[in-house]
Each structure stands twice: as C-alpha cells, then as structure tokens.
Amino acid sequence: MSDIVQYQIQQLVDNGQTVQISLVEDVQTEPISQKQLMMDAINKKIDPELRDQIMPFLEAILQAQPTIAIKSYAQTAITITMPKRRFERMGSPQVGQRLEVNIRKI
C-alpha cells in the first residue's frame, strides 16, 4: 500500500555539492472562529432549556473573538539531502513550492 502525499518546501540549504530540502506535509486548514469553538463546547455541556436562555448573552460576549486556522492533525516533516545535480534535474524547486512524495514499505 502506498501513500502519496504532497509536501511543501519549508527550507532549502545548498551546500554546493548537495542540497538539503526540509518538507512539511501540505495540510489544508479550515478557518474557524474561536467564538464557534467556545459555543460548540458550551452546547455539549448544558441542557437545551438553559442553552436557549444563555446563548444570546454568550453570543454578545464572544462577538469579538478572532478567526483562526485549525489543523485537523499534526504534520509530518521530512528532511532530504541529495546531490545538487539530482535537485537540478527535479527542476530546482523553491521554498513554498509543493512536491509529491511516495512513501511505502517494500
């Protein structure tokens, strides 16, 4: 079974003869407000009758909470060192560009 995942180049170190590429898994993030996170947690903890009474107050209090990006899981990081020639044959990808990595047990 193979797992092909896209990785984003986070850092490049060119040592002349070799190139070291630091990759981090290209995880999609979803913007969600802290207000929504808090409201969801409160909804799970209190009974419906009480919730109907206090939700308008909570929404007013939490109105100014910022929106943050939530990652659904921890990213995998990989560091690869390769001959500079091979790096150049790959098209010399730069920081921020994405690479596809195929990892499998053989």
Side-chain angles (χ1 to χ4, degrees):
M1 179 178 173
S2 67
D3 190 14
I4 299 175
V5 179
Q6 287 190 5
Y7 289 85
Q8 187 171 22
I9 300 173
Q10 195 168 45
Q11 181 181 20
L12 280 172
V13 178
D14 186 343
N15 296 321
Q17 300 254 340
T18 62
V19 175
Q20 184 176 352
I21 306 172
S22 296
L23 305 170
V24 66
E25 195 170 356
D26 187 22
V27 176
Q28 298 298 317
T29 58
E30 179 180 323
I32 187 167
S33 69
Q34 288 183 347
K35 172 186 168 185
Q36 188 61 47
L37 290 172
M38 290 179 198
M39 299 290 272
D40 290 347
I42 291 166
N43 279 333
K44 292 176 187 174
K45 298 290 182 184
I46 61 176
D47 65 75
E49 186 178 318
L50 181 59
R51 182 178 32 222
D52 291 343
Q53 293 174 11
I54 66 170
M55 274 306 169
F57 298 109
L58 285 173
E59 287 179 3
I61 292 169
L62 299 174
Q63 197 62 41
Q65 293 298 314
T67 298
I68 56 174
I70 302 294
K71 293 179 183 170
S72 59
Y73 58 96
Q75 294 176 312
T76 300
I78 299 174
T79 301
I80 301 172
T81 303
M82 65 177 67
K84 189 168 183 176
R85 264 285 300 129
R86 183 171 188 182
F87 175 75
E88 290 169 347
R89 282 196 309 263
M90 290 174 50
S92 301
Q94 297 301 305
V95 172
Q97 291 184 316
R98 291 173 177 79
L99 297 176
E100 188 175 86
V101 178
N102 184 356
I103 300 173
R104 68 175 184 230
K105 180 180 176 183
I106 54 171

